[in-house]
Amino acid sequence: MPFRLLLPLLLMLVAVAAQAATPTLLLDVARFRTLGANTYEVELYATVPGNGLTYMRRAPGSFQAAAAVTLQVLKADGKPAHSETVTLKPPVISDTAAALKNPQSFLKRLTLPAGQYTIRAELRDQYRKGAPTVVEQPLALDYSATAPVLSDIVFLSKPASKTTAQTNFTRGGYQLTRTPAGNYGRGADQLYFYLELYNATPGQALKLHYHVESAEGFAADADAPLGTAKAGRPTAVAGELPLGGLSALGINTDGEYTLTVEVRNAANKVLASRSAKFNRSSGEYAPGGASLPR
């Protein structure tokens, strides 16, 4: 190839790979008891915001990114209980200068026996060399087998809706749309969440108490009915709180907050409680969307 043609080609290859910030991997983990033996269903919800990926030119006015996410669940002895790699390809875009690029998410459900584990997630940008982004966190599957106990809290971007469908995104008779990393961004005015109650006495009258607290220590409380405990299956809790209605708490400003959900009996005794942190980022876009692993 003549040099006069080679040089423009090299310049074009440099220009078409749109570099972005360091790739980000958001990993949400939720533990649920199964109805059988001493096992758990663990949900791993991984999200890769598109703004952190490198977009490669495929054709004039056509750019696409690709990322590989490796999920590993390691036993206490370091041996793998699960390992897989999922390839994510965001939709093609026409302008890499746009501030908002599509995130990609996927949900994986695993059934694991009780025990101590470590979850390790690794993200590699397919169009950029360098060290991967790694997220690690411990996982303890040790819920009480007899006392009332709540599952982890799953934060949602929209209300949990009743459904009879059985898909990767349904649980307890509800369709769940998760919000990655408990992030409520621009335009969000409601806090939605889902969790399950186990081991409650069947037919027992129950009620809910919600407590929201800011990092500065300001707090707000609310109550909601729950009905009676279910026999032979978990009691689903699908809740919501108005973000705007808690303005006295300072929740309309950016920051981290803690939601505590308590289940109480008719005598107002706390039977079980669970806490989780969420973030309010009113000036930012909250990544959303989900797909099945492929």
Side-chain angles (χ1 to χ4, degrees):
M1 178 182 293
F3 178 78
R4 63 178 180 274
L5 296 179
L6 178 61
L7 182 58
L9 176 60
L10 291 175
L11 293 176
M12 182 183 71
L13 290 175
V14 172
V16 298
Q19 294 293 327
T22 302
T24 300
L25 175 60
L26 306 175
L27 182 64
D28 296 289
V29 181
R31 302 163 297 170
F32 299 90
R33 283 297 303 266
T34 62
L35 296 180
N38 192 20
T39 57
Y40 295 75
E41 191 168 62
V42 178
E43 293 190 352
L44 307 177
Y45 187 66
T47 301
V48 179
N51 286 2
L53 296 176
T54 303
Y55 281 75
M56 186 67 71
R57 183 180 180 183
R58 294 304 185 191
S62 176
F63 299 83
Q64 189 172 36
V69 178
T70 299
L71 290 177
Q72 288 185 307
V73 179
L74 305 176
K75 301 177 184 178
D77 60 6
K79 296 180 180 179
H82 177 82
S83 181
E84 70 173 307
T85 298
V86 177
T87 299
L88 300 176
K89 290 187 176 182
V92 173
I93 61 175
S94 60
D95 181 11
T96 59
L100 177 63
K101 299 179 178 67
N102 292 297
Q104 289 290 287
S105 300
F106 68 90
L107 175 66
K108 183 69 180 181
R109 286 179 172 170
L110 303 173
T111 300
L112 298 169
Q116 302 293 320
Y117 300 86
T118 298
I119 298 176
R120 189 180 192 275
E122 179 182 287
L123 165 66
R124 288 188 180 274
D125 189 327
Q126 301 291 73
Y127 299 137
R128 180 193 301 177
K129 294 182 179 179
T133 299
V134 177
V135 177
E136 284 191 0
Q137 66 181 81
L139 175 67
L141 302 182
D142 55 1
Y143 287 177
S144 171
T146 55
V149 63
L150 285 165
S151 73
D152 288 327
I153 298 173
V154 177
F155 288 110
L156 308 174
S157 61
K158 60 178 65 175
S161 57
K162 285 282 191 179
T163 181
T164 57
Q166 296 292 326
T167 73
N168 208 38
F169 303 105
T170 60
R171 177 171 288 281
Y174 288 93
Q175 177 79 23
L176 306 180
T177 305
R178 291 154 181 77
T179 181
N183 186 27
Y184 289 85
R186 185 173 63 238
D189 57 4
Q190 290 283 117
L191 176 70
Y192 303 108
F193 48 93
Y194 174 89
L195 63 166
E196 295 176 355
L197 172 67
Y198 310 104
N199 305 330
T201 303
Q204 183 180 27
L206 302 171
K207 55 185 178 180
L208 298 168
H209 180 78
Y210 302 139
H211 177 84
V212 180
E213 187 168 327
S214 71
E216 295 76 19
F218 298 104
D221 295 82
D223 295 290
L226 181 56
T228 58
K230 310 300 182 184
R233 60 189 176 94
T235 302
V237 178
E240 64 180 271
L241 290 169
L243 291 176
L246 297 174
S247 57
L249 175 63
I251 205 168
N252 285 326
T253 61
D254 290 355
E256 184 179 72
Y257 299 84
T258 300
L259 168 68
T260 299
V261 178
E262 295 179 347
V263 176
R264 301 182 176 185
N265 61 15
N268 213 34
K269 178 184 177 181
V270 177
L271 302 178
S273 68
R274 183 70 62 184
S275 297
K277 296 184 183 299
F278 66 94
N279 293 280
R280 178 67 166 157
S281 305
S282 57
E284 298 180 3
Y285 172 75
S291 61
L292 294 172
R294 58 180 182 273

